[in-house]
Amino acid sequence: MWNGLFFGLVNLFTPQASLPDTTTMREEIQQFAQVYEIDTDRIHVRESTMNNPSPFLTNSGIKACVLHVNQSDDAKRVWSHFLDSGHEGMESAFLAFTSGHELTHCLMSEKGKRIQSRQALEAYLGLTFKSNVHFEETLADLVGLAYVSKVAPEAFEVVFKRVKAIRTNFSNRDPEHDSSGALRPDSIRWVDAMLNKPVSLQVAQK
């Protein structure tokens, strides 16, 4: 979700917000699975302390997908910056966005799904992504926002504006994470409809 370029612009004195524990993340995964009827048996959550500014990292393969909750100080500072939306009480909504975003990377590890989904999204948006990373990060943002619209509709506008602002502000420094042009209400609805089609996106079986 993040990279070193982003962290380089986050003040070292930014407060360190608490990251969720593995139990909380597992509950988020199960809620996502219920909303979109997705099998999550192969998804695992681990608490890690990694030399990486990203609060959440996903290692995904055909047999398993591991979501790391990175409890390092740098990751906590980045999470604090992300939560700094100017609105209080939004942590659970931002966590919902994050779970949807990271689980998209798990979904894309199924054989053939990345190509199929990329072609469909490019056709809908009328553009060509710079790379598979650019596509997957864009799709992940759209899925995260679609998920928030379902489970925390009262917080959707806050999360939507914060995600779009960050992606826009860092677009020049981090072009592969620049989803700003695709973050529109119609494309969020389109991705939500795609997720609700059983044959469109499923986590690969063991």
Side-chain angles (χ1 to χ4, degrees):
M1 185 175 175
W2 311 101
N3 68 11
L5 291 171
F6 177 87
F7 176 68
L9 298 175
V10 175
N11 192 301
L12 291 176
F13 297 101
T14 300
Q16 297 178 12
S18 296
L19 283 162
D21 56 24
T22 55
T23 299
T24 301
M25 287 308 299
R26 289 190 188 99
E27 291 172 352
E28 283 289 334
I29 288 171
Q30 290 307 312
Q31 180 175 259
F32 183 89
Q34 290 173 6
V35 169
Y36 289 113
E37 298 182 1
I38 291 171
D39 176 14
T40 59
D41 287 347
R42 60 183 280 274
I43 300 175
H44 310 284
V45 182
R46 294 179 184 168
E47 184 173 294
S48 306
T49 304
M50 307 173 75
N51 184 23
N52 191 299
S54 180
F56 307 93
L57 300 102
T58 306
N59 294 329
S60 187
I62 294 175
K63 293 184 177 180
C65 182
V66 180
L67 170 58
H68 295 271
V69 182
N70 185 12
Q71 297 288 352
S72 73
D73 290 345
D74 290 349
K76 291 177 181 177
R77 290 189 184 98
V78 171
W79 184 234
S80 296
H81 182 79
F82 185 61
L83 294 176
D84 187 18
S85 65
H87 296 78
E88 296 183 359
M90 294 289 136
E91 289 83 357
S92 62
F94 280 111
L95 185 57
F97 166 79
T98 298
S99 64
H101 179 105
E102 296 300 332
L103 288 175
T104 302
H105 296 305
C106 295
L107 293 167
M108 289 297 101
S109 65
E110 184 178 357
K111 186 178 180 180
K113 289 303 180 186
R114 183 178 289 108
I115 294 174
Q116 174 188 352
S117 302
R118 176 174 174 170
Q119 290 175 342
L121 187 56
E122 285 181 334
Y124 178 78
L125 295 173
L127 55 77
T128 300
F129 290 106
K130 301 177 181 71
S131 64
N132 278 334
V133 172
H134 186 212
F135 152 70
E136 199 164 308
E137 292 297 335
T138 299
L139 179 65
D141 280 352
L142 290 169
V143 170
L145 290 168
Y147 180 51
V148 171
S149 73
K150 286 183 172 295
V151 299
E154 72 287 351
F156 173 79
E157 282 299 320
V158 172
V159 177
F160 173 77
K161 289 178 180 178
R162 185 61 179 150
V163 172
K164 187 155 188 174
I166 286 175
R167 295 314 193 203
T168 301
N169 293 342
F170 291 92
S171 60
N172 290 333
R173 301 177 182 89
D174 190 11
E176 288 200 318
H177 285 71
D178 179 17
S179 61
S180 58
L183 299 184
R184 313 188 307 251
D186 65 294
S187 54
I188 293 169
R189 289 191 297 269
W190 184 87
V191 164
D192 179 61
M194 183 177 71
L195 282 169
N196 280 299
K197 295 177 182 177
V199 298
S200 296
L201 291 175
Q202 288 292 326
V203 174
Q205 300 297 308
K206 294 181 180 178

